[in-house]
PDB file of all heavy atoms in Angstrom:
ATOM      1  N   ASN I  66     111.999 143.565  49.597  1.00  0.00           N
ATOM      2  CA  ASN I  66     110.538 143.421  49.562  1.00  0.00           C
ATOM      3  C   ASN I  66     109.831 144.116  48.421  1.00  0.00           C
ATOM      4  O   ASN I  66     110.205 145.213  48.000  1.00  0.00           O
ATOM      5  CB  ASN I  66     109.905 143.971  50.907  1.00  0.00           C
ATOM      6  CG  ASN I  66     109.798 142.883  51.867  1.00  0.00           C
ATOM      7  OD1 ASN I  66     110.308 141.751  51.657  1.00  0.00           O
ATOM      8  ND2 ASN I  66     109.219 143.151  52.990  1.00  0.00           N
ATOM      9  N   ILE I  68     105.895 143.769  46.287  1.00  0.00           N
ATOM     10  CA  ILE I  68     104.544 143.227  46.346  1.00  0.00           C
ATOM     11  C   ILE I  68     104.164 142.545  45.074  1.00  0.00           C
ATOM     12  O   ILE I  68     104.332 143.161  44.000  1.00  0.00           O
ATOM     13  CB  ILE I  68     103.538 144.359  46.708  1.00  0.00           C
ATOM     14  CG1 ILE I  68     103.930 145.053  48.006  1.00  0.00           C
ATOM     15  CG2 ILE I  68     102.103 143.711  46.843  1.00  0.00           C
ATOM     16  CD1 ILE I  68     104.043 144.181  49.215  1.00  0.00           C
ATOM     17  N   ARG I  74     100.605 139.557  47.942  1.00  0.00           N
ATOM     18  CA  ARG I  74     101.600 139.216  49.020  1.00  0.00           C
ATOM     19  C   ARG I  74     102.935 139.752  48.675  1.00  0.00           C
ATOM     20  O   ARG I  74     103.203 139.971  47.485  1.00  0.00           O
ATOM     21  CB  ARG I  74     101.680 137.669  49.152  1.00  0.00           C
ATOM     22  CG  ARG I  74     100.367 137.058  49.720  1.00  0.00           C
ATOM     23  CD  ARG I  74     100.536 135.643  49.986  1.00  0.00           C
ATOM     24  NE  ARG I  74      99.296 135.006  50.493  1.00  0.00           N
ATOM     25  CZ  ARG I  74      98.950 135.086  51.780  1.00  0.00           C
ATOM     26  NH1 ARG I  74      99.788 135.771  52.649  1.00  0.00           N
ATOM     27  NH2 ARG I  74      97.856 134.583  52.236  1.00  0.00           N
ATOM     28  N   PRO I  90     104.603 132.989  54.789  1.00  0.00           N
ATOM     29  CA  PRO I  90     105.173 132.582  56.108  1.00  0.00           C
ATOM     30  C   PRO I  90     104.702 131.133  56.481  1.00  0.00           C
ATOM     31  O   PRO I  90     103.685 130.685  55.975  1.00  0.00           O
ATOM     32  CB  PRO I  90     104.482 133.577  57.063  1.00  0.00           C
ATOM     33  CG  PRO I  90     103.369 134.156  56.326  1.00  0.00           C
ATOM     34  CD  PRO I  90     103.610 134.013  54.886  1.00  0.00           C
ATOM     35  N   ARG I 172     113.387  69.669  66.796  1.00  0.00           N
ATOM     36  CA  ARG I 172     113.574  69.866  65.361  1.00  0.00           C
ATOM     37  C   ARG I 172     113.707  71.344  65.011  1.00  0.00           C
ATOM     38  O   ARG I 172     114.506  71.731  64.115  1.00  0.00           O
ATOM     39  CB  ARG I 172     112.378  69.243  64.635  1.00  0.00           C
ATOM     40  CG  ARG I 172     112.425  67.717  64.608  1.00  0.00           C
ATOM     41  CD  ARG I 172     111.517  67.201  63.562  1.00  0.00           C
ATOM     42  NE  ARG I 172     111.745  68.048  62.404  1.00  0.00           N
ATOM     43  CZ  ARG I 172     111.221  68.023  61.249  1.00  0.00           C
ATOM     44  NH1 ARG I 172     110.382  67.131  61.047  1.00  0.00           N
ATOM     45  NH2 ARG I 172     111.512  68.782  60.290  1.00  0.00           N
ATOM     46  N   SER I 189     121.949  73.094  52.724  1.00  0.00           N
ATOM     47  CA  SER I 189     120.914  73.648  53.625  1.00  0.00           C
ATOM     48  C   SER I 189     119.842  72.597  53.961  1.00  0.00           C
ATOM     49  O   SER I 189     119.296  72.631  55.018  1.00  0.00           O
ATOM     50  CB  SER I 189     120.266  74.842  53.021  1.00  0.00           C
ATOM     51  OG  SER I 189     119.750  74.531  51.766  1.00  0.00           O
ATOM     52  N   GLY I 190     119.578  71.660  53.082  1.00  0.00           N
ATOM     53  CA  GLY I 190     118.601  70.656  53.405  1.00  0.00           C
ATOM     54  C   GLY I 190     119.231  69.335  53.771  1.00  0.00           C
ATOM     55  O   GLY I 190     118.608  68.301  53.866  1.00  0.00           O
ATOM     56  N   ASN I 201     119.813  62.707  54.119  1.00  0.00           N
ATOM     57  CA  ASN I 201     118.372  62.368  53.921  1.00  0.00           C
ATOM     58  C   ASN I 201     118.167  60.914  53.522  1.00  0.00           C
ATOM     59  O   ASN I 201     117.049  60.469  53.482  1.00  0.00           O
ATOM     60  CB  ASN I 201     117.793  63.225  52.815  1.00  0.00           C
ATOM     61  CG  ASN I 201     117.625  64.681  53.279  1.00  0.00           C
ATOM     62  OD1 ASN I 201     116.675  65.092  53.875  1.00  0.00           O
ATOM     63  ND2 ASN I 201     118.725  65.472  53.007  1.00  0.00           N
ATOM     64  N   ASP I 203     119.237  56.574  53.635  1.00  0.00           N
ATOM     65  CA  ASP I 203     119.280  55.594  54.692  1.00  0.00           C
ATOM     66  C   ASP I 203     120.601  54.903  54.818  1.00  0.00           C
ATOM     67  O   ASP I 203     120.740  53.822  55.395  1.00  0.00           O
ATOM     68  CB  ASP I 203     118.222  54.509  54.415  1.00  0.00           C
ATOM     69  CG  ASP I 203     118.400  53.781  53.129  1.00  0.00           C
ATOM     70  OD1 ASP I 203     119.236  54.287  52.314  1.00  0.00           O
ATOM     71  OD2 ASP I 203     117.873  52.676  52.934  1.00  0.00           O
ATOM     72  N   GLN I 302     123.319  51.338  46.486  1.00  0.00           N
ATOM     73  CA  GLN I 302     123.291  52.316  45.402  1.00  0.00           C
ATOM     74  C   GLN I 302     123.852  53.677  45.763  1.00  0.00           C
ATOM     75  O   GLN I 302     123.705  54.609  44.969  1.00  0.00           O
ATOM     76  CB  GLN I 302     121.850  52.471  44.980  1.00  0.00           C
ATOM     77  CG  GLN I 302     121.074  51.227  44.674  1.00  0.00           C
ATOM     78  CD  GLN I 302     121.500  50.648  43.296  1.00  0.00           C
ATOM     79  OE1 GLN I 302     121.654  51.454  42.338  1.00  0.00           O
ATOM     80  NE2 GLN I 302     121.752  49.367  43.221  1.00  0.00           N
ATOM     81  N   SER I 346     115.715  63.032  61.925  1.00  0.00           N
ATOM     82  CA  SER I 346     114.336  63.173  61.387  1.00  0.00           C
ATOM     83  C   SER I 346     114.376  63.490  59.829  1.00  0.00           C
ATOM     84  O   SER I 346     113.438  63.298  59.146  1.00  0.00           O
ATOM     85  CB  SER I 346     113.553  64.251  62.103  1.00  0.00           C
ATOM     86  OG  SER I 346     114.016  65.511  61.671  1.00  0.00           O
ATOM     87  N   LEU I 347     115.597  63.939  59.394  1.00  0.00           N
ATOM     88  CA  LEU I 347     115.680  64.340  57.943  1.00  0.00           C
ATOM     89  C   LEU I 347     115.305  63.147  57.074  1.00  0.00           C
ATOM     90  O   LEU I 347     114.425  63.280  56.122  1.00  0.00           O
ATOM     91  CB  LEU I 347     117.090  64.785  57.598  1.00  0.00           C
ATOM     92  CG  LEU I 347     117.438  66.199  57.984  1.00  0.00           C
ATOM     93  CD1 LEU I 347     118.902  66.525  57.642  1.00  0.00           C
ATOM     94  CD2 LEU I 347     116.520  67.231  57.240  1.00  0.00           C
ATOM     95  N   GLY I 348     115.958  62.034  57.315  1.00  0.00           N
ATOM     96  CA  GLY I 348     115.611  60.833  56.453  1.00  0.00           C
ATOM     97  C   GLY I 348     115.119  59.710  57.354  1.00  0.00           C
ATOM     98  O   GLY I 348     114.963  58.538  56.852  1.00  0.00           O
TER      99      GLY I 348
ATOM    100  N   VAL T 196      95.154 143.016  43.113  1.00  0.00           N
ATOM    101  CA  VAL T 196      94.926 144.317  43.843  1.00  0.00           C
ATOM    102  C   VAL T 196      95.864 145.320  43.258  1.00  0.00           C
ATOM    103  O   VAL T 196      96.932 145.020  42.755  1.00  0.00           O
ATOM    104  CB  VAL T 196      95.285 144.124  45.382  1.00  0.00           C
ATOM    105  CG1 VAL T 196      94.128 143.573  46.068  1.00  0.00           C
ATOM    106  CG2 VAL T 196      96.483 143.260  45.526  1.00  0.00           C
ATOM    107  N   LEU T 201      98.017 148.531  48.822  1.00  0.00           N
ATOM    108  CA  LEU T 201      98.862 147.804  49.730  1.00  0.00           C
ATOM    109  C   LEU T 201      99.731 148.839  50.470  1.00  0.00           C
ATOM    110  O   LEU T 201     100.639 149.447  49.890  1.00  0.00           O
ATOM    111  CB  LEU T 201      99.757 146.806  48.946  1.00  0.00           C
ATOM    112  CG  LEU T 201      99.063 145.702  48.303  1.00  0.00           C
ATOM    113  CD1 LEU T 201      99.911 145.026  47.243  1.00  0.00           C
ATOM    114  CD2 LEU T 201      98.598 144.667  49.314  1.00  0.00           C
ATOM    115  N   ASP T 204     103.599 145.441  54.086  1.00  0.00           N
ATOM    116  CA  ASP T 204     103.890 144.121  53.568  1.00  0.00           C
ATOM    117  C   ASP T 204     103.476 143.021  54.516  1.00  0.00           C
ATOM    118  O   ASP T 204     103.919 141.921  54.422  1.00  0.00           O
ATOM    119  CB  ASP T 204     105.329 143.986  53.150  1.00  0.00           C
ATOM    120  CG  ASP T 204     106.324 144.451  54.205  1.00  0.00           C
ATOM    121  OD1 ASP T 204     106.054 144.126  55.406  1.00  0.00           O
ATOM    122  OD2 ASP T 204     107.269 145.156  53.878  1.00  0.00           O
ATOM    123  N   ASP T 206     101.236 140.216  55.450  1.00  0.00           N
ATOM    124  CA  ASP T 206     100.322 139.461  54.553  1.00  0.00           C
ATOM    125  C   ASP T 206      99.083 138.979  55.284  1.00  0.00           C
ATOM    126  O   ASP T 206      98.226 138.354  54.661  1.00  0.00           O
ATOM    127  CB  ASP T 206     101.089 138.310  53.988  1.00  0.00           C
ATOM    128  CG  ASP T 206     102.045 138.778  52.908  1.00  0.00           C
ATOM    129  OD1 ASP T 206     101.678 139.662  52.102  1.00  0.00           O
ATOM    130  OD2 ASP T 206     103.213 138.223  52.867  1.00  0.00           O
ATOM    131  N   LEU T 209      97.194 133.361  57.458  1.00  0.00           N
ATOM    132  CA  LEU T 209      97.182 132.440  56.347  1.00  0.00           C
ATOM    133  C   LEU T 209      95.880 131.684  56.191  1.00  0.00           C
ATOM    134  O   LEU T 209      95.480 131.328  55.111  1.00  0.00           O
ATOM    135  CB  LEU T 209      98.302 131.351  56.645  1.00  0.00           C
ATOM    136  CG  LEU T 209      99.658 131.665  56.065  1.00  0.00           C
ATOM    137  CD1 LEU T 209     100.648 130.643  56.547  1.00  0.00           C
ATOM    138  CD2 LEU T 209      99.561 131.670  54.583  1.00  0.00           C
ATOM    139  N   ASN T 570     114.924  70.887  49.089  1.00  0.00           N
ATOM    140  CA  ASN T 570     116.336  70.586  49.049  1.00  0.00           C
ATOM    141  C   ASN T 570     116.629  69.451  50.062  1.00  0.00           C
ATOM    142  O   ASN T 570     116.696  69.782  51.209  1.00  0.00           O
ATOM    143  CB  ASN T 570     117.134  71.820  49.335  1.00  0.00           C
ATOM    144  CG  ASN T 570     118.598  71.625  49.413  1.00  0.00           C
ATOM    145  OD1 ASN T 570     119.107  70.668  48.861  1.00  0.00           O
ATOM    146  ND2 ASN T 570     119.336  72.448  50.148  1.00  0.00           N
ATOM    147  N   PRO T 571     116.817  68.248  49.623  1.00  0.00           N
ATOM    148  CA  PRO T 571     116.804  67.743  48.265  1.00  0.00           C
ATOM    149  C   PRO T 571     115.401  67.390  47.854  1.00  0.00           C
ATOM    150  O   PRO T 571     114.509  67.095  48.720  1.00  0.00           O
ATOM    151  CB  PRO T 571     117.576  66.435  48.380  1.00  0.00           C
ATOM    152  CG  PRO T 571     117.371  65.956  49.772  1.00  0.00           C
ATOM    153  CD  PRO T 571     117.188  67.167  50.575  1.00  0.00           C
ATOM    154  N   SER T 577     119.609  53.200  49.574  1.00  0.00           N
ATOM    155  CA  SER T 577     120.705  52.230  49.323  1.00  0.00           C
ATOM    156  C   SER T 577     120.212  51.073  48.481  1.00  0.00           C
ATOM    157  O   SER T 577     120.937  50.566  47.674  1.00  0.00           O
ATOM    158  CB  SER T 577     121.219  51.720  50.624  1.00  0.00           C
ATOM    159  OG  SER T 577     120.204  51.193  51.432  1.00  0.00           O
ATOM    160  N   GLY T 579     118.065  51.428  46.095  1.00  0.00           N
ATOM    161  CA  GLY T 579     117.689  52.034  44.788  1.00  0.00           C
ATOM    162  C   GLY T 579     116.338  52.649  44.835  1.00  0.00           C
ATOM    163  O   GLY T 579     115.939  53.337  43.891  1.00  0.00           O
ATOM    164  N   ARG T 582     112.843  58.244  47.690  1.00  0.00           N
ATOM    165  CA  ARG T 582     112.117  58.791  48.815  1.00  0.00           C
ATOM    166  C   ARG T 582     111.975  60.323  48.675  1.00  0.00           C
ATOM    167  O   ARG T 582     112.914  61.004  48.270  1.00  0.00           O
ATOM    168  CB  ARG T 582     112.872  58.507  50.157  1.00  0.00           C
ATOM    169  CG  ARG T 582     112.061  58.835  51.328  1.00  0.00           C
ATOM    170  CD  ARG T 582     112.486  58.173  52.535  1.00  0.00           C
ATOM    171  NE  ARG T 582     113.813  58.653  53.021  1.00  0.00           N
ATOM    172  CZ  ARG T 582     114.503  58.037  53.912  1.00  0.00           C
ATOM    173  NH1 ARG T 582     114.099  56.923  54.504  1.00  0.00           N
ATOM    174  NH2 ARG T 582     115.657  58.539  54.304  1.00  0.00           N
ATOM    175  N   ILE T 614     107.449  60.919  60.895  1.00  0.00           N
ATOM    176  CA  ILE T 614     108.453  61.135  61.916  1.00  0.00           C
ATOM    177  C   ILE T 614     107.630  61.462  63.133  1.00  0.00           C
ATOM    178  O   ILE T 614     106.867  62.444  63.208  1.00  0.00           O
ATOM    179  CB  ILE T 614     109.391  62.319  61.589  1.00  0.00           C
ATOM    180  CG1 ILE T 614     110.003  62.120  60.180  1.00  0.00           C
ATOM    181  CG2 ILE T 614     110.395  62.482  62.720  1.00  0.00           C
ATOM    182  CD1 ILE T 614     111.121  61.095  60.195  1.00  0.00           C
ATOM    183  N   ARG T 637     106.584  65.934  59.743  1.00  0.00           N
ATOM    184  CA  ARG T 637     107.456  65.609  58.644  1.00  0.00           C
ATOM    185  C   ARG T 637     107.163  64.156  58.238  1.00  0.00           C
ATOM    186  O   ARG T 637     107.071  63.243  59.081  1.00  0.00           O
ATOM    187  CB  ARG T 637     108.877  65.705  59.015  1.00  0.00           C
ATOM    188  CG  ARG T 637     109.802  65.427  57.885  1.00  0.00           C
ATOM    189  CD  ARG T 637     111.260  65.749  58.240  1.00  0.00           C
ATOM    190  NE  ARG T 637     112.133  65.164  57.248  1.00  0.00           N
ATOM    191  CZ  ARG T 637     112.296  65.634  56.021  1.00  0.00           C
ATOM    192  NH1 ARG T 637     111.686  66.718  55.671  1.00  0.00           N
ATOM    193  NH2 ARG T 637     113.172  64.995  55.196  1.00  0.00           N
TER     194      ARG T 637
END
Side-chain angles (χ1 to χ4, degrees):
Chain I
N66 268 6
I68 304 301
R74 293 185 179 280
R172 288 197 42 179
S189 58
N201 290 273
D203 62 343
Q302 306 284 319
S346 76
L347 279 177
Chain T
V196 276
L201 295 163
D204 51 43
D206 287 319
L209 269 173
N570 175 23
S577 53
R582 188 159 71 191
I614 308 284
R637 180 172 166 77

